[in-house]
């Protein structure tokens, strides 16, 4: 401290209060962002207690991604009006970051849920399950598209999930309409989809119907999945069931958790109806 009536802090003391090293304060002084209020004849530098609030603001804006250049421009031309304007801008940024963090947390929860469920599944089993109505976000139609067109649609779909903050962490699947399945075009998907917990207005959502689904699993490479489809359709006939409106297909295990494609697991859910006598 120095002077009798005014309290000052040395560079070391002020750095400790700000929880930074002295070099940070030297640099801020060098670029004209935050300079000591006093430098005596011996070269000692002193900061005022009032500058602690300014440093706290600088640290906050920096943490929120504001450049030191922009912060310096505010410091040089600060005013109550400009301060309030900056605070509103940063509040919007924090709200957006909070939304993104919540989305990521939901994605993590979904991934944990899926993996925990998968650990108790017998992948050799074929069963008929009654599934509730589900809401899916759909891509553009991809029936009969070329490889190049498929890439474009898939890329656009992923971009939409990010921009709309609707990536729920559930797997991206393929929906195949009845007519494709009947023709044996099991991977001529009609749409890509991702499960949604909440629907929003003006988005291309698809609601599945509550009903029975013949569910089985394909283990191995995608190019061999037609063998599993034929096995499931044979089981469907044995159980006196007929093909419903669509088939849903999505990965259970893929490159995220398995090294070899031979170990990948795909879940196939065939909408079915009881045959009328």
């Amino acid at each position: 401290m120095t002077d009798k009536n005014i309290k000052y802090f040395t560079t070391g003391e002020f750095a400790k209060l700000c929880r930074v090293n002295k070099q940070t304060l030297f640099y801020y002084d060098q670029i004209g962002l935050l300079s000591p209020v006093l430098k005596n004849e011996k070269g000692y530098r002193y900061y005022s207690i009032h500058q602690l609030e300014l440093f706290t603001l600088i640290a906050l804006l920096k943490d929120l991604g504001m450049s030191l250049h922009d912060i310096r421009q505010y410091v040089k031309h600060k005013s109550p009006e400009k301060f309030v304007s900056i605070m509103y801008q940063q509040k919007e940024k924090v709200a957006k970051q909070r939304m993104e963090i919540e989305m990521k947390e939901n994605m993590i929860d979904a991934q944990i849920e899926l993996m925990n469920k998968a650990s108790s599944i017998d992948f050799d089993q074929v069963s008929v399950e009654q599934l509730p109505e589900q809401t899916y976000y759909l891509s553009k139609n991809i029936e009969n598209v070329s490889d190049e067109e498929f890439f474009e649609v898939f890329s656009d779909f992923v971009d939409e999930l990010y921009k709309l903050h609707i990536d729920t962490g559930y797997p991206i699947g393929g929906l195949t309409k009845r007519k494709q399945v009947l023709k044996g075009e099991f991977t001529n998907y009609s749409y890509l989809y991702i499960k949604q917990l909440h629907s929003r207005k003006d988005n291309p959502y698809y609601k599945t119907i509550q009903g029975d689904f013949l569910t089985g699993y394909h283990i191995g490479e995608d190019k061999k999945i037609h063998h599993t489809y034929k096995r499931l359709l044979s089981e469907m006939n044995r159980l006196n069931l007929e093909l419903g409106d669509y088939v849903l297909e999505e990965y259970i295990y893929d490159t995220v958790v398995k090294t070899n494609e031979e170990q990948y697991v795909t879940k196939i859910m065939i909408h079915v109806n009881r045959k009328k006598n």
Side-chain angles (χ1 to χ4, degrees), residues 89-276:
Q89 292 172 14
Q90 299 308 313
K91 183 178 180 180
E92 290 179 4
K93 186 181 293 186
V94 169
K96 182 179 179 182
Q97 291 174 347
R98 183 187 301 114
M99 183 187 301
E100 291 175 349
I101 289 172
E102 288 177 354
M103 184 181 76
K104 290 174 182 176
E105 184 178 18
N106 291 336
M107 290 171 64
I108 291 170
D109 287 342
Q111 295 286 343
I112 292 172
E113 175 192 351
L114 290 169
M115 287 300 104
N116 284 339
K117 285 183 178 179
S119 65
S120 60
I121 294 174
D122 178 0
F123 296 130
D124 294 322
Q125 182 180 4
V126 177
S127 61
V128 178
E129 307 175 45
Q130 185 173 77
L131 299 181
E133 179 184 84
Q134 299 281 2
T135 300
Y136 295 100
Y137 183 78
L138 296 185
S139 70
K140 298 174 184 176
N141 188 287
I142 55 173
E143 291 175 12
N144 304 311
V145 298
S146 65
D147 290 344
E148 292 78 9
E149 290 171 322
F150 178 82
F151 173 78
E152 289 180 7
V153 172
F154 190 87
S155 178
D156 289 344
F157 186 65
V158 172
D159 285 343
E160 289 167 11
L161 298 182
Y162 175 76
K163 291 175 182 176
L164 297 174
H165 299 98
I166 56 173
D167 188 342
T168 54
Y170 289 95
I172 294 176
L175 184 153
T176 309
K177 290 182 179 177
R178 184 175 188 271
K179 61 181 181 180
Q180 262 69 45
V181 178
L182 288 175
K183 291 189 291 185
E185 298 176 356
F186 305 121
T187 57
N188 186 7
Y189 308 112
S190 301
Y191 302 96
L192 301 172
Y193 70 81
I194 187 169
K195 181 180 175 181
Q196 297 292 294
L197 302 179
H198 307 286
S199 59
R200 302 180 189 176
K201 294 181 180 179
D202 304 322
N203 281 338
Y205 290 109
Y206 179 80
K207 286 185 178 293
T208 63
I209 60 175
Q210 177 180 333
D212 292 331
F213 288 79
L214 183 73
T215 302
Y217 301 88
H218 170 69
I219 303 173
E221 302 170 288
D222 290 343
K223 63 183 180 181
K224 297 180 180 179
I225 200 169
H226 61 282
H227 296 303
T228 301
Y229 268 97
K230 290 177 179 178
R231 177 169 60 88
L232 292 177
L233 292 176
S234 175
E235 181 67 7
M236 180 184 73
N237 290 327
R238 190 188 70 81
L239 293 172
N240 199 36
L241 300 171
E242 62 182 8
L243 182 64
D245 296 333
Y246 52 85
V247 175
L248 301 173
E249 179 187 309
E250 58 194 46
Y251 278 119
I252 299 295
Y253 292 152
D254 59 7
T255 186
V256 173
V257 295
K258 295 293 184 179
T259 303
N260 300 317
E261 193 174 354
E262 292 79 8
Q263 298 174 314
Y264 291 2
V265 177
T266 305
K267 184 177 184 180
I268 300 172
M269 293 163 281
I270 303 175
H271 178 227
V272 292
N273 298 310
R274 299 288 175 183
K275 285 183 180 179
K276 297 178 181 178

Side-chain angles (χ1 to χ4, degrees), residues 14 25 28-30 32-36 47 51 54-55 58 75:
F14 193 69
L25 298 180
Y28 285 0
D29 182 23
Q30 180 183 344
L33 183 58
L34 179 63
S35 298
Y47 292 84
Q51 290 181 292
L54 180 56
F55 181 89
I58 292 169
V75 169

